[in-house]
């Protein structure tokens, strides 16, 4: 943090600039204050020399939109983005969060302890999981882009620009960006994918654990070979984390774990849960607190003070705005600032070499020549921002997507502009703009100087002198620029005319080039011409893709009361919550509790009974007034079923209209028969008698009962109605209540019983294929059953058992209970796959992953009232999909209370559809989210 210089803007929109905060290759960060609210903000302003390049502007804006999509959790939401039509000024604003860059934190306090490493890795992996869920690559990890805040890590870069080690504006509107990290697949010239982010995460965790990187031994010109061939040096990494980090650093991308797996292995309860009560070592916590105190004490500098500071600091060329708007130009600046100035900042001078181009070495395609630089990468430290990948990115609905990379000719498809590389690279003109250097790291606290850290290896090509194409004189890796021709316009009506055009070339491992008239972002389904004209402003979005909508309300069940047992909706007006101590009702329109009733303690889910709310407790049926919970009627089981004394009522099997179905049992004594003469009398027997009931909750009368086999002790079988037809009910018994004799008699298969709707008489019992007693089963009104058979899902005619079709599942997984929705059947698997198939044919419509790692319980499915949104809930998160095509809309996670001594929340999520909302519950926390 330092005082403002003369060339620094004093205002960005509604923000008044207070001080310089940090510098990076492509931007400068300022501390600022909102003139309306007084809140502190961090302004990330592109360097003016780069902001004038259209390709840079488009990429900067694309990465800003990516940050918006990922906002929440460990990504600080954006407050505002600068005007897109101001060519000299390009900026974004986020709320100020006191935090240290990882590189600086290691310098202040040395390597992080194991618990802090787990929280750091889990937090970043959670972000990567969200990115990869959209089929995209982040490219934003580096020691300078990962911050350590009081409550957990933060990520500040969302693409190559944010994590660039150096950036350079080239003639012809080109942009060269040097990235600081390599992965084995990049060394081999292969495409970068989600595993590449995991490799760089492994590098970062190894660096945070040791203060150095795991590929340090040997000359810098062999850095790429070591990354591609050498084993990482992880002896200094904590033993408990060594295997996981080694997995991230596997040479084969297919052998690396997914981001979700890394997050779960590092912190099963989530990074936020593990970080409760503090996570930073004492020295880092003190440094963060010191930073916050100094930042909050800042005042807007007087113009004279700003001028003096600027005079003493020097004026680097890249910091001089040209043609600034009034609110961004210092008061003492002339009306027309010169377009360029000779840099006087010693840091800028030291880092900007004279450029030379060598056309003797073929790079990548063999048709384009450029001089590669040496392979030594900068040491991680404050202000450096290396990145793992090369190539170009576009923009999709979720995150930034890798489109092309590596030393190979670009490929074309219908979604991209055809790319033609020139046969030779012309020498750089004498007045070519200089590279924008990464600032020299400097220490900002009164603590010891940063630990010496080994250089993070960048890419290696043929060794040259310490100058090169776009080099900065310190051997910081290749930066090769390829001029690109203007992209051809697509023919009218072609497929490419419906998407933004892309023209990208990556001429060397570690080099990224965006050039000429090409547009460097895709997505949104809008047409954009391949010219340097500014792209159309994005349409405003009320909800950012990937981020859950703001809940309409939230409700916390009181900690002084026992935890919820059941939840149910009453007429879309009340959320009725039962617990061991009472039942209570929450107004679904406001989230406010309206009543509580101890009589209904341990009650089952509420059901509509005319104008009353019906609840079944362990000893009686209750009818409650929805207004205040007053008990209007009650029927004790001893009174309502006088011929069945000591009746024990089980869980409700289902309900339809005014009728509920349930099981019950009682234990009776059967006297032994009179013995024959001379024989001893046998002992009396205790026998369980079980029944299946239908009960009208409006008339408060029993409809029918039918005897059924008793279940496992204590004897009440638990039934679930899997389908209701006009003539009968199809019922499944829970496997946990089957006796050993019943399992043996069924030969390990599950059974479905049919009961007559009018009389309750058992009509038949059938088995279906290889469906076991624990297999998921549901049915529809047409008499079709859908059952899990091994790893498959099959449909059967209920009355005949005839198989109709089969859907193959994921190896090692099993299907959960599917959900019937009109002409489709929504499916769920233990592998966390959710999908849709046609009910009639079994044809797969779509299948998507929730991105929760590993094999576990199949997510429970809920469909919104409109039928447009499908919610998948498990113990980790709630994932929202478009029911029509499976597009992932958003994910929601809640770790519960964050008190230092608060209990870890492990309860699964539950969802209930009510009107235009979905109510999400996890343990004591409830949220009402608007959904389509």
């Amino acid at each position: 943090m330092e005082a403002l210089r003369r060339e620094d803007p004093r205002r960005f929109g509604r923000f008044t600039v207070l001080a310089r905060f940090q510098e990076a290759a492509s931007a400068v960060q300022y501390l600022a204050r909102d003139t309306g609210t007084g809140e502190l903000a961090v302004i990330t302003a592109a360097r003016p020399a780069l902001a004038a390049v259209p390709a840079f502007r488009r990429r900067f804006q694309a990465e800003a939109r990516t940050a918006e999509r990922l906002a929440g959790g460990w990504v600080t939401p954006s407050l505002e983005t600068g005007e897109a039509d101001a060519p000299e000024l390009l900026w974004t604003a986020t709320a100020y969060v006191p935090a240290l860059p990882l590189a600086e934190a290691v310098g202040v306090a040395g390597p992080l302890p194991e618990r802090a490493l787990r929280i750091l890795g889990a937090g970043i992996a959670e972000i990567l999981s969200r990115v990869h869920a959209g089929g995209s690559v982040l490219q934003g990890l580096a020691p300078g882009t990962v911050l350590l805040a009081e409550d957990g890590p933060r990520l500040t870069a969302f693409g190559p620009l944010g994590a660039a080690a150096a950036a350079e504006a080239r003639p012809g509107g080109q942009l060269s960006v040097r990235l600081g990290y390599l992965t084995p697949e990049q060394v081999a010239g292969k495409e970068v994918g989600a595993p590449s982010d995991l490799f760089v995460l492994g590098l970062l965790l190894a660096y945070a654990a040791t203060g150095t990187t795991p590929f340090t031994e040997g000359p810098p010109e062999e850095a790429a070979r070591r990354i591609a061939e050498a084993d990482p040096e992880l002896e200094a990494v904590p033993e408990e984390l060594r295997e996981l980090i080694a997995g991230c650093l596997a040479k084969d991308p297919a052998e690396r774990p997914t981001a979700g797996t890394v997050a779960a292995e590092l912190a099963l309860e989530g990074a936020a849960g593990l970080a409760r009560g503090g996570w930073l070592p004492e020295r880092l916590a003190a440094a963060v607190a010191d930073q916050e105190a100094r930042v909050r004490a800042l005042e807007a500098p007087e113009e004279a003070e700003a001028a003096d500071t600027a005079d003493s600091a020097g004026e680097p060329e890249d910091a001089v705005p040209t043609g600034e708007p009034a609110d961004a130009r210092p008061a003492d600046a002339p009306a027309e600032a010169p377009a360029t100035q000779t840099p006087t900042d010693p840091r800028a001078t030291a880092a900007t070499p004279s450029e030379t181009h060598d056309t003797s070495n073929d790079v990548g395609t063999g048709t384009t020549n450029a001089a590669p630089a040496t392979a030594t990468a900068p040491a991680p430290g404050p202000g450096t921002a290396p990145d793992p990948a090369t190539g170009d990115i576009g923009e999709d609905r979720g995150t930034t997507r890798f489109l092309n990379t590596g030393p190979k000719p670009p490929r074309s498809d219908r979604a991209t502009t055809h790319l033609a590389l020139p046969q030779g690279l012309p020498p750089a003109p004498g007045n070519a703009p200089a590279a924008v250097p990464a600032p020299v790291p400097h220490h900002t606290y009164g603590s010891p100087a940063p630990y010496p850290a080994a250089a993070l290896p960048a890419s290696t090509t043929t060794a040259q002198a310490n100058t090169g194409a776009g080099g900065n004189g310190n051997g910081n890796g290749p930066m090769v620029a390829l001029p690109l021709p203007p992209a051809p316009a697509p023919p009218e009506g072609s497929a490419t005319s419906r998407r933004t055009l892309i023209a990208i070339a990556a001429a060397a491992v570690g080099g990224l080039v965006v050039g000429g008239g090409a547009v460097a972002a895709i997505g949104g389904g809008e047409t954009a011409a391949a010219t340097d004209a500014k792209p159309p402003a994005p349409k405003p979005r009320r909800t950012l893709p990937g981020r859950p909508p703001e809940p309409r309300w939230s409700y916390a069940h009181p900690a002084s009361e026992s935890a919820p047992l059941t939840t149910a909706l009453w007429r879309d007006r009340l959320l009725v919550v039962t617990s061991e101590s009472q039942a209570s009702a929450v107004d679904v329109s406001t989230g406010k509790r309206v009543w509580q009733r101890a009589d209904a303690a341990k009650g089952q889910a509420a059901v509509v009974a005319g104008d009353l709310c019906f609840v079944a407790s362990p000893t009686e049926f209750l009818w409650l007034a929805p207004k205040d919970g007053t008990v209007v009627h009650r029927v004790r089981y001893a009174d309502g079923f006088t011929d069945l004394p000591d009746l024990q009522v089980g869980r409700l099997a289902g309900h339809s209209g005014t009728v509920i179905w349930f099981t019950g049992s009682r234990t009776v004594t059967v006297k032994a028969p009179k013995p024959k003469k001379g024989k001893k009398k046998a002992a009396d027997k205790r026998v369980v008698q079980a029944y299946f009931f239908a009960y009208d909750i409006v008339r408060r009368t029993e409809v029918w009962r039918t005897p059924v086999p008793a279940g496992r002790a204590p004897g009440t079988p638990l039934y679930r109605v899997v389908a209701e037809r006009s003539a009968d009910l199809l019922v499944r018994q829970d496997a946990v209540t089957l006796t050993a004799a019943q399992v043996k008699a069924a030969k390990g298969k599950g059974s479905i019983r049919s009961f007559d709707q009018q009389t309750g008489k058992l009509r038949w019992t059938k088995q279906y294929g290889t469906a076991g007693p624990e297999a998921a089963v549901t049915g529809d009104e047409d008499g079709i059953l859908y059952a899990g058979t091994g790893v498959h899902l099959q449909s059967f005619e209920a009355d005949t058992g005839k198989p109709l079709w089969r859907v193959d599942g994921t190896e090692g997984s099993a299907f959960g209970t599917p959900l019937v929705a009109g002409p489709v059947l929504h499916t769920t698997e233990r592998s966390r796959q959710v999908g849709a198939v046609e009910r009639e044919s079994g044809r797969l419509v779509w299948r998507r992953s929730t991105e929760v790692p590993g094999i576990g319980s199949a997510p429970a499915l809920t469909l919104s009232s409109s039928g447009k949104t499908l919610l998948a809930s498990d113990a980790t998160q709630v994932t929202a999909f478009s029911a029509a095509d499976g597009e992932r809309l958003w994910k929601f996670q809640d770790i519960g209370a964050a008190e230092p001594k608060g209990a870890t929340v492990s309860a699964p999520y539950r969802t209930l559809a009510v009107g235009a909302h979905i109510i999400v519950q996890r343990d004591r926390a409830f949220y009402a989210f608007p959904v389509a």
Side-chain angles (χ1 to χ4, degrees):
M1 188 166 61
E2 61 180 87
L4 294 176
R5 304 175 187 175
R6 174 182 297 175
E7 70 273 9
D8 289 328
R10 274 17 183 202
R11 289 182 64 85
F12 291 90
R14 70 177 193 265
F15 300 96
T16 300
V17 180
L18 305 177
R20 277 187 166 230
F21 193 35
Q22 296 179 23
E23 293 187 60
S26 62
V28 177
Q29 286 188 337
Y30 298 95
L31 287 164
R33 193 183 304 278
D34 190 318
T35 54
T37 65
E39 295 297 320
L40 290 168
V42 175
I43 307 293
T44 301
R47 295 182 180 271
L50 296 175
V53 179
F56 178 93
R57 297 180 64 81
R58 291 189 289 267
R59 186 174 296 279
F60 185 96
Q61 292 160 357
E63 293 186 15
R65 290 192 292 271
T66 298
E68 289 179 353
R69 293 186 181 93
L70 294 174
W74 309 122
V75 177
T76 305
S78 174
L79 298 177
E80 188 175 336
T81 300
E83 291 296 328
D85 57 352
E88 306 84 4
L89 205 61
L90 192 62
W91 57 274
T92 62
T94 59
Y96 165 69
V97 176
L100 296 180
L102 172 61
E104 187 167 350
V106 171
V108 169
L112 299 181
E114 181 188 339
R115 178 169 173 269
L117 287 171
R118 287 183 176 276
I119 295 166
L120 170 65
I124 300 303
E126 288 169 8
I127 299 174
L128 292 179
S129 180
R130 295 169 56 198
V131 173
H132 298 166
S136 305
V137 184
L138 180 68
Q139 297 183 264
L141 298 182
T145 65
V146 175
L147 306 184
L148 310 187
E150 181 182 15
D151 59 344
R154 296 290 192 280
L155 185 62
T156 62
F158 306 94
L161 285 189
E168 178 186 8
R170 290 286 185 137
Q174 295 178 3
L175 172 68
S176 292
V177 176
R178 186 179 59 75
L179 306 166
Y181 286 103
L182 270 182
T183 63
E185 52 268 31
Q186 289 173 275
V187 175
K190 298 179 180 178
E191 296 241 356
V192 174
S196 304
D197 281 338
L198 272 298
F199 186 89
V200 183
L201 177 60
L203 288 176
L204 284 178
L205 290 177
Y207 168 67
T210 64
T212 185
T213 58
F215 299 102
T216 58
E217 293 298 327
E221 60 270 16
E222 297 182 3
R225 182 194 60 78
R226 292 197 299 273
I227 288 175
E229 303 174 5
D231 293 331
E233 300 171 10
L234 302 176
E235 291 78 8
V237 173
E239 184 176 356
E240 294 79 4
L241 304 180
R242 200 173 298 159
E243 182 178 355
L244 180 63
I245 294 177
C248 292
L249 296 175
K251 306 303 182 188
D252 185 354
E255 295 180 0
R256 296 172 200 157
T258 64
T261 298
V262 172
E265 290 196 21
L266 290 174
L268 187 59
E269 67 272 52
L274 187 57
R276 270 199 307 247
W279 71 293
L280 293 177
E282 185 177 350
R283 292 185 67 184
L284 292 184
V288 170
D290 174 61
Q291 180 199 89
E292 180 178 17
R294 292 187 294 117
V295 167
R296 296 197 181 282
L298 288 173
E299 299 291 344
E302 298 294 332
E303 296 297 341
E305 294 175 355
D308 292 341
T309 303
D311 287 338
S312 63
E315 302 175 12
E317 176 183 1
D318 59 21
V320 179
T322 61
E324 296 171 328
D327 67 340
R329 184 169 57 241
D332 58 351
E336 295 184 2
T340 58
Q341 294 184 10
T342 303
T344 57
D345 190 324
R347 290 178 293 176
T349 304
T352 307
S354 60
E355 288 190 4
T356 60
H357 289 278
D358 184 1
T359 60
S360 61
N361 295 305
D362 290 345
V363 181
T365 63
T367 61
T368 303
N369 303 319
T374 59
T376 306
T384 64
D387 186 82
T390 65
D392 200 337
I393 59 170
E395 179 188 12
D396 68 5
R397 184 161 174 77
T399 53
T400 303
R401 182 184 296 275
F402 235 103
L403 295 173
N404 200 0
T405 185
K408 56 185 181 297
R411 297 178 297 180
S412 62
D413 60 23
R414 297 185 66 193
T416 60
T417 298
H418 290 281
L419 193 65
L421 298 181
Q423 294 300 312
L425 179 68
N431 59 352
V436 178
V440 176
H442 58 280
H443 193 47
T444 59
Y445 294 103
S447 48
Y451 281 44
L456 295 176
S459 61
T460 299
T461 55
T462 307
Q464 302 287 331
N466 283 345
T467 60
N472 57 9
N474 57 4
N476 280 339
M479 181 149 68
V480 181
L482 295 181
L484 301 179
E492 185 68 27
S494 68
T496 52
S497 69
R498 297 184 56 83
R499 300 181 60 180
T500 308
L501 303 177
I502 309 151
I504 305 161
V509 177
L512 173 68
V513 180
V514 180
V519 176
I522 65 169
E526 298 180 6
T527 303
T531 69
D532 281 342
K534 69 170 185 175
K539 297 179 180 179
R541 292 185 296 267
R542 297 187 60 179
T543 302
L544 299 175
R547 180 183 179 186
E550 290 297 322
R552 180 175 179 181
W553 53 257
S554 62
Y555 165 74
H557 191 73
S560 59
E561 301 175 11
S562 54
L565 294 175
T566 68
T567 55
L569 290 167
W570 185 86
R571 286 195 170 179
D572 286 357
R573 286 171 46 192
L574 295 178
L575 176 69
V576 180
V577 182
T578 66
S579 67
E580 292 282 346
S581 57
Q582 63 187 8
S584 56
V586 177
D587 188 328
V588 297
S589 64
T590 64
K592 305 296 184 182
R593 178 187 276 192
V594 293
W595 54 257
Q596 57 197 59
R597 177 63 56 182
D599 303 67
K602 302 181 182 179
Q604 297 189 49
V607 179
V608 175
D611 293 330
L612 301 177
C613 177
F614 171 85
V615 177
S617 82
T619 59
E620 59 187 345
F621 290 151
L622 298 171
W623 287 260
L624 309 178
K627 182 178 180 180
D628 55 12
T630 302
V631 177
V632 179
H633 305 290
R634 72 171 78 224
V635 174
R636 292 180 174 87
Y637 302 145
D639 300 330
F641 305 92
T642 55
D643 59 332
L644 298 176
D646 302 321
L647 178 67
Q648 302 295 315
V649 173
R651 184 192 65 206
L652 296 186
H655 69 275
S656 177
T658 65
V659 177
I660 62 170
W661 300 288
F662 62 94
T663 53
S665 69
R666 65 171 186 150
T667 302
V668 299
T669 300
V670 177
K671 292 187 176 294
K674 185 177 180 180
K676 294 181 180 180
K677 187 175 182 179
K679 299 293 184 179
K680 185 183 255 187
K681 182 181 179 181
D684 295 341
K685 293 182 179 180
R686 300 283 290 173
V687 177
V688 175
Q689 296 177 341
Y691 303 90
F692 186 37
F693 296 87
Y695 190 92
D696 191 312
I697 58 176
V698 171
R699 295 164 51 200
R700 300 194 297 281
T701 58
E702 181 180 336
V703 178
W704 50 253
R705 80 176 73 156
T706 188
V708 294
R712 181 178 299 178
T716 303
L718 297 182
Y719 284 0
R720 182 173 66 87
V721 176
V722 298
E724 179 189 2
R725 302 191 291 183
S726 59
D728 64 349
L729 301 173
L730 302 185
V731 176
R732 169 79 174 278
Q733 182 174 346
D734 284 6
V736 294
T737 65
L738 291 170
T739 65
Q742 290 169 340
V743 174
K744 183 177 180 180
K747 298 181 180 180
K749 295 184 178 181
S751 299
I752 298 294
R753 294 183 176 97
S754 168
F755 293 93
D756 188 277
Q757 277 267 35
Q758 302 301 317
T759 65
K761 179 182 177 181
L762 179 65
R763 300 176 60 186
W764 48 254
T765 301
K766 294 185 182 296
Q767 296 175 332
Y768 298 88
T770 60
E774 295 183 352
V777 178
T778 196
D780 60 27
E781 69 281 0
D782 298 326
I784 306 300
L785 286 179
Y786 310 95
T789 55
V791 299
H792 311 297
L793 180 70
Q794 281 190 273
S795 72
F796 301 87
E797 288 183 352
D799 293 319
T800 65
K802 177 184 176 181
L804 301 176
W805 50 255
R806 188 182 82 175
V807 174
D808 293 333
T810 307
E811 184 177 356
S813 181
F815 280 89
T817 303
L819 177 66
V820 176
V824 302
L825 181 76
H826 290 294
T827 63
T828 175
E829 300 179 58
R830 291 182 58 202
S831 59
R832 317 304 173 94
Q833 299 279 334
V834 175
V837 299
E838 292 179 351
R839 282 171 55 188
E840 183 176 353
S841 65
R843 185 184 71 85
L844 183 65
V845 178
W846 59 263
R847 180 180 286 171
R848 302 285 185 273
S849 172
T850 65
E851 290 297 312
V852 173
I855 300 292
S857 298
L861 301 180
T862 301
L863 199 62
S864 66
S865 300
S866 68
K868 296 180 179 179
T869 305
L870 180 69
L871 286 300
S873 311
D874 54 29
T876 303
Q877 66 190 28
V878 176
T879 309
F881 298 88
S882 168
D885 56 14
E887 178 186 10
R888 297 183 194 88
L889 303 177
W890 48 263
K891 298 180 182 180
F892 173 74
Q893 294 181 336
D894 172 39
I895 64 164
E899 290 83 359
K901 296 184 180 180
T904 299
V905 177
S906 58
Y909 291 88
R910 300 174 182 173
T911 52
L912 298 168
V914 49
H917 292 78
I918 285 287
I919 295 180
V920 174
Q921 177 202 358
R922 194 183 196 196
D923 195 33
R924 298 175 181 272
F926 296 81
Y927 303 86
F929 290 104
V931 294

